[in-house]
Amino acid sequence: VTSPWDPLGRALLAYQEGQHDAEILVESDLFETEVVPVAAYYRPAEVDLPELEQHALKACCGRVLDVGAGAGRHALELQATGLAVTALDISPAASAVMRARGVHRVVAGDLWGFEGGSFDTVLTLMNGLGVVGDLAGLQRWLEKLHDVVGPGGSILCDSSDLAAAFETDDPDACQPRTAQLQRGEVRFRLRFRECRGGWYRWLFCPEEELRTVALRTGWTTEILRRSDRAAFLARLRSTDRVIL
Ligand SMILES: C[S@@+](CC[C@H](N)C(=O)[O-])C[C@H]1O[C@@H](n2cnc3c(N)ncnc32)[C@H](O)[C@@H]1O
């Protein structure tokens, strides 16, 4: 068993080397196994970014930290508009791909150990909030981000509300599955050819849960956009710390 993100790293390198039809398998403890084209992590010139992501990029300002930056499709776009972007990713291969694609500031590292200074915008996209793993992780990360987001700065993140996305009227719907959809805590495992990663947790954060945890940790939440499959883009700004 390799680390959870190794298969994605290898897949990104394969694409970078010209294998544009490369695909990864995404297994989970909630959904059917999915086949995802690696192209989804790049942005071939002919493909527009989804509207929600375009809106997120327009809302970025100043010094930007892109967390879980992958192959750098957002970092490159922001850099092209003149913003100072730092792209952080735990995968050494993803980081190498970003450097090769021209991202100027790349940090290969874990968001939990990141101490790279102060930013005006912390961005995380592609169900980006999931990177915190679970609801306990969300609380821990939002506490930590007070040291990373400078005065007047914000966090821009997308997520989706699984219970709303998979709403069912079926009284026989499986209860454990329904409860898991409501919590949005899912385990995944990636596979690229012979490389299979370990299981990791990924959070799909319900909107109300985000508001509650954010408020508890000193952030206000504004929903900037909603899109299909109950996806949403949120902006969090620091408040005076609220004691509940
Ligand atoms: C779903 S991908 C999204 C990539 C990119 N944001 C995009 O939209 O194309 C998640 C990325 O987060 C990175 N990642 C996962 N856990 C991380 C952590 N603890 N710290 C930093 N990066 C992490 C993975 O290596 C992967 O590239």
Side-chain angles (χ1 to χ4, degrees), residues 5 8 68-70 73-74 89-91 109-111 125-126 131 202:
W5 296 99
L8 178 62
R73 62 197 179 107
H74 302 116
D89 202 287
I90 200 167
S91 157
D110 190 342
L111 64 93
L125 289 179
M126 199 174 188
V131 76
W202 197 261

Side-chain angles (χ1 to χ4, degrees), residues 7 10-11 14 19 22-24 38 190-196:
R10 287 192 198 195
Q19 297 172 43
E23 295 173 332
I24 50 175
V38 180
L190 304 177
R191 182 168 175 185
F192 178 63
R193 298 179 184 153
E194 73 294 341
C195 175
R196 171 175 274 166

